[in-house]
Amino acid sequence: MDGERQKTGEQLSFPGKGRGEAPRVAGEGTEPPEAKREAESPASTEHLMEEVCERENLKKALKRVKSNKGSPGIDGMTVEELPGYLKEHWPTHREQLLRGTYKPKPVRRVEIPKEGGGVRKLGIPTVLDRFIQQAVMQVLQERWDRTFSEQSFGFRPGRSAHQAVARAQEHIAQGNHYVVDIDLEKFFDRVNHDILMGRIARRVADKRCLKLIRAFLNAGVMENGLVSPTDEGTPQGGPLSPLLSNVVLDDLDKELERRGHRFVRYADDANVYVRSERAGQRVMEGVRSFITKRLKLKVNRDKSAVAKVGTRGFLGFSFLNPKEPRRRIAPKALKRLKERVRGLTRRTRGVSIGQMVKQLATYLTGWRGYFAYCETPSVLRGLDSWVRRRLRCVVWKQWKRGRTRFAELRKRDVNRHLAAKAAGSAHGPWNLSRSPALSFALPNAYFDSLGLPTMAARRIA
């Protein structure tokens, strides 16, 4: 058997029709780009479960679940064990899905600390349930995504947080210098199941599919060995939850569009841009009423506000001069970065500088991949300098005191006078980290050689 096929799981032979043999959906593949965002008629969705169980869809779902990895659910089965399990048991589960009798297991409760305090509750389904959720999500997303608002960017293929930030920037540049920043309180924990299923039933006629989605919502949560029922919320942690959240909040998008507002939504983070504070207060009151009465959700009054755009962050970014808005890294995002770097570069950690840089590089590479989208390169250059100074402090501390430090500086070709001056200085490590002696002994190239990434684009000489 081919080794690569074995790794991806594509060698599994899922019984059932292939993609080319699926029942043809009326008008599929013929819709012009300018078509209205309308859901398909329920009659065209009577055989969704057959589409879910198609071989190609299942292979794609298995590949995605394996690439996402993740921890086991309540049954302890790992992602690596899933292909072997499916080889033996998939025909039974396929039959259950097609008959509408499949019963998901409860999710495993996990609490993740939030950066701003508190915890985020995740519900980790079993890997089998994740696989089935992924297969269902792929079929539904392919049909539903084109019906969602152009102002919605979260959890959608081909869309990103950067695109959402750019759209917000456009609204601001058009003269909308006030933002109605709407924060939904514990959104994923409080989604009303009846409202959600009512929205889905408008789009889906296959009662087996509706029953399965309801079963996932009501599967329950296992915590400390006890299973608790779930009568509201869409537990974060499963592949289906993000799509279901967009179904609920699509009603909010359509209402904002109907009212002619300029807005951007990314998941449960929604900003409406207006020209004055007075207009913003009117919009806030109207939107809060709609969310409370129609969606049965709650707006967090402490975190929501009407304010000038320069004072509020959006997806980690904020904007300088509203007349010519430029993307900058929001102050809270900078604060979180520095707190994390300080933790990784504590001088008392007892790890080598090489190991420290390796751990730091993992974090900074991901951070740079997102925040390099800012339009303030001087801030990134300043962060590069600050990180290197932190590392010079670590090395200086590791060299201890007196003659050891003098010897280390001389070994790196620092002249005798500068080496003696630095080694005998009464200044602390932070002041000395930008001294001529340490800058020469530990230049930028030294940290580059250890694998430290730079956050600012290097200037070409």
Side-chain angles (χ1 to χ4, degrees):
M1 186 178 293
D2 185 277
E4 284 302 309
R5 282 183 173 271
Q6 190 170 6
K7 287 181 181 179
T8 63
E10 293 181 0
Q11 82 281 6
L12 292 180
S13 179
F14 292 105
K17 293 183 178 181
R19 174 67 68 178
E21 300 167 279
R24 183 169 178 79
V25 177
E28 190 174 55
T30 62
E31 184 178 47
E34 64 273 12
K36 292 182 179 180
R37 298 192 310 269
E38 295 180 350
E40 294 170 302
S41 66
S44 68
T45 62
E46 291 180 349
H47 303 285
L48 283 183
M49 199 56 72
E50 279 75 15
E51 293 186 40
V52 169
C53 293
E54 287 173 0
R55 284 196 298 268
E56 293 306 315
N57 186 55
L58 296 173
K59 288 179 181 179
K60 180 180 176 183
L62 179 58
K63 185 175 182 180
R64 177 55 63 92
V65 169
K66 291 181 68 178
S67 67
N68 288 343
K69 298 181 181 179
S71 57
I74 63 169
D75 61 356
M77 187 191 299
T78 65
V79 172
E80 291 75 21
E81 294 170 326
L82 179 60
Y85 176 87
L86 291 175
K87 278 185 180 180
E88 183 176 354
H89 298 283
W90 177 246
T92 300
H93 294 311
R94 179 179 183 273
E95 186 67 19
Q96 292 171 340
L97 290 169
L98 294 177
R99 288 180 177 272
T101 59
Y102 181 81
K103 292 184 179 181
K105 288 184 170 62
V107 300
R108 181 169 63 87
R109 171 69 79 212
V110 176
E111 293 185 349
I112 305 297
K114 290 183 179 180
E115 291 179 333
V119 295
R120 175 177 287 106
K121 293 183 178 181
L122 300 182
I124 308 300
T126 65
V127 291
L128 174 61
D129 286 340
R130 292 211 294 272
F131 166 66
I132 293 173
Q133 282 195 34
Q134 179 68 32
V136 172
M137 186 277 291
Q138 289 168 180
V139 170
L140 297 182
Q141 188 171 63
E142 185 177 348
R143 290 169 174 269
W144 293 355
D145 189 72
R146 64 176 179 271
T147 73
F148 293 150
S149 170
E150 284 297 309
Q151 311 304 319
S152 165
F153 292 88
F155 309 131
R156 296 182 62 188
R159 288 175 169 251
S160 68
H162 286 169
Q163 291 173 334
V165 172
R167 183 65 55 85
Q169 192 174 9
E170 291 173 11
H171 293 324
I172 296 168
Q174 291 167 358
N176 302 287
H177 296 167
Y178 285 81
V179 60
V180 182
D181 189 348
I182 303 164
D183 184 271
L184 298 178
E185 188 172 296
K186 297 182 178 179
F187 168 74
F188 286 94
D189 297 331
R190 292 185 171 171
V191 170
N192 184 286
H193 287 180
D194 291 334
I195 290 178
L196 171 57
M197 292 308 301
R199 302 301 188 270
I200 296 173
R202 294 177 190 171
R203 300 166 177 261
V204 173
D206 191 326
K207 295 188 182 302
R208 299 165 301 175
C209 190
L210 292 172
K211 185 179 178 181
L212 179 63
I213 293 173
R214 173 72 82 166
F216 277 123
L217 293 174
N218 295 338
V221 175
M222 177 173 282
E223 194 169 10
N224 299 322
L226 300 175
V227 177
S228 303
T230 48
D231 53 11
E232 64 177 0
T234 59
Q236 296 182 74
L240 195 54
S241 182
L243 178 62
L244 299 184
S245 72
N246 271 335
V247 171
V248 174
L249 293 177
D250 189 56
D251 277 15
L252 174 61
D253 296 340
K254 297 301 194 298
E255 180 65 15
L256 294 174
E257 288 178 344
R258 188 185 68 79
R259 298 181 185 188
H261 292 314
R262 293 175 173 83
F263 72 98
V264 183
R265 183 175 66 81
Y266 190 93
D268 58 338
D269 197 346
N271 279 3
V272 184
Y273 295 90
V274 296
R275 291 181 177 272
S276 69
E277 184 176 6
R278 186 174 179 181
Q281 295 294 349
R282 288 198 302 269
V283 170
M284 176 65 84
E285 191 59 35
V287 171
R288 185 187 293 129
S289 176
F290 178 86
I291 290 172
T292 303
K293 294 177 181 178
R294 289 282 297 277
L295 302 183
K296 306 301 182 185
L297 296 169
K298 187 176 180 180
V299 174
N300 188 324
R301 291 178 179 265
D302 293 334
K303 294 183 178 180
S304 301
V306 176
K308 292 183 177 180
V309 293
T311 66
R312 305 290 291 189
F314 181 53
L315 301 177
F317 293 91
S318 58
F319 301 94
L320 296 174
N321 180 10
K323 293 182 180 179
E324 296 181 6
R326 286 190 298 150
R327 298 183 297 273
R328 67 172 179 175
I329 303 168
K332 286 184 179 179
L334 284 174
K335 181 180 178 182
R336 287 195 294 267
L337 165 76
K338 290 193 172 185
E339 287 175 352
R340 184 66 182 275
V341 172
R342 286 190 182 101
L344 291 171
T345 58
R346 288 196 316 272
R347 298 169 216 164
T348 56
R349 286 191 63 204
V351 300
S352 69
I353 190 66
Q355 182 65 20
M356 185 176 289
V357 169
K358 184 178 179 180
Q359 295 169 355
L360 193 60
T362 300
Y363 173 69
L364 291 180
T365 299
W367 191 92
R368 178 185 62 184
Y370 184 76
F371 285 104
Y373 188 61
C374 74
E375 296 176 310
T376 51
S378 61
V379 173
L380 297 178
R381 289 194 294 270
L383 288 173
D384 278 334
S385 176
W386 179 78
V387 170
R388 289 191 294 264
R389 286 187 66 187
R390 292 281 309 177
L391 291 172
R392 289 188 183 106
C393 289
V394 171
V395 175
W396 189 247
K397 183 75 173 179
Q398 290 177 347
W399 285 349
K400 299 181 181 178
R401 294 182 177 277
R403 186 170 180 80
T404 301
R405 288 174 172 171
F406 176 81
E408 292 289 352
L409 291 172
R410 290 291 293 144
K411 189 162 59 176
R412 288 161 175 78
D413 296 326
V414 177
N415 71 54
R416 183 175 293 274
H417 172 71
L418 284 179
K421 184 177 179 181
S425 175
H427 290 300
W430 183 248
N431 282 329
L432 286 171
S433 64
R434 60 179 179 183
S435 67
L438 262 69
S439 296
F440 186 89
L442 303 170
N444 297 351
Y446 169 70
F447 297 111
D448 290 346
S449 70
L450 294 177
L452 181 70
T454 59
M455 288 175 280
R458 285 285 175 84
R459 294 176 178 176
I460 300 175

